[in-house]
Coordinates of all heavy atoms in Angstrom, one line a residue:
D901 N 2.2 7.8 1.1 CA 2.4 9.2 0.8 C 2.7 9.3 -0.7 O 3.3 8.5 -1.3 CB 3.5 9.8 1.6 CG 3.5 11.3 1.6 OD1 2.4 11.9 1.5 OD2 4.6 12.0 1.7
A909 N 6.2 12.7 -10.4 CA 5.5 12.3 -9.1 C 6.4 11.3 -8.4 O 7.1 10.5 -9.0 CB 4.1 11.8 -9.4
V937 N 10.8 8.1 -16.9 CA 10.2 6.8 -16.5 C 8.7 7.0 -16.6 O 8.2 7.9 -16.0 CB 10.7 6.4 -15.1 CG1 10.1 5.1 -14.7 CG2 12.2 6.3 -15.1
V974 N 17.6 18.9 -9.4 CA 18.1 20.2 -9.7 C 18.6 20.9 -8.4 O 17.9 20.8 -7.4 CB 17.1 21.1 -10.4 CG1 17.6 22.5 -10.6 CG2 16.7 20.5 -11.7
L988 N 21.9 16.4 -8.8 CA 22.3 15.1 -8.2 C 21.2 14.1 -8.6 O 20.0 14.4 -8.3 CB 22.5 15.3 -6.7 CG 23.5 16.3 -6.3 CD1 23.5 16.5 -4.8 CD2 24.9 15.8 -6.8
S990 N 20.7 10.9 -7.5 CA 20.3 10.0 -6.5 C 20.3 10.6 -5.1 O 20.9 11.7 -5.0 CB 21.3 8.7 -6.5 OG 22.6 9.1 -6.3
D1008 N 12.1 26.5 -6.5 CA 13.6 26.6 -6.4 C 14.1 26.6 -5.0 O 15.1 27.1 -4.7 CB 14.0 27.9 -7.1 CG 13.8 28.0 -8.5 OD1 13.9 27.0 -9.2 OD2 13.4 29.1 -9.0
R1021 N 12.2 26.6 11.8 CA 12.0 26.5 10.4 C 13.2 26.8 9.7 O 13.9 27.8 10.0 CB 10.8 27.4 9.9 CG 9.5 27.1 10.6 CD 8.5 28.1 10.1 NE 9.0 29.4 10.5 CZ 8.2 30.5 10.5 NH1 7.0 30.4 10.1 NH2 8.7 31.6 10.9
R1024 N 16.0 26.4 2.4 CA 17.2 26.4 1.5 C 16.7 26.7 0.1 O 15.7 26.2 -0.3 CB 17.8 25.0 1.5 CG 18.6 24.6 2.7 CD 19.9 25.2 2.6 NE 20.8 24.6 3.6 CZ 22.1 24.5 3.4 NH1 22.7 25.0 2.3 NH2 22.8 24.0 4.4
R1040 N 17.9 30.4 6.6 CA 17.4 31.2 7.7 C 16.9 30.2 8.8 O 16.3 29.1 8.5 CB 16.2 32.0 7.3 CG 16.4 33.1 6.3 CD 15.2 33.8 6.1 NE 15.3 34.6 4.9 CZ 14.3 35.3 4.3 NH1 13.1 35.2 4.8 NH2 14.5 36.0 3.2
R1045 N 6.8 31.6 16.6 CA 6.2 32.5 17.5 C 5.0 31.8 18.2 O 4.3 31.0 17.6 CB 5.6 33.7 16.8 CG 6.7 34.6 16.2 CD 6.1 35.8 15.5 NE 7.2 36.6 15.0 CZ 7.0 37.5 14.1 NH1 5.8 37.8 13.6 NH2 8.0 38.2 13.7

Side-chain angles (χ1 to χ4, degrees):
D901 195 29
V937 176
V974 175
L988 301 173
S990 58
D1008 295 320
R1021 295 177 301 193
R1024 283 277 194 157
R1040 296 184 196 171
R1045 292 183 180 163

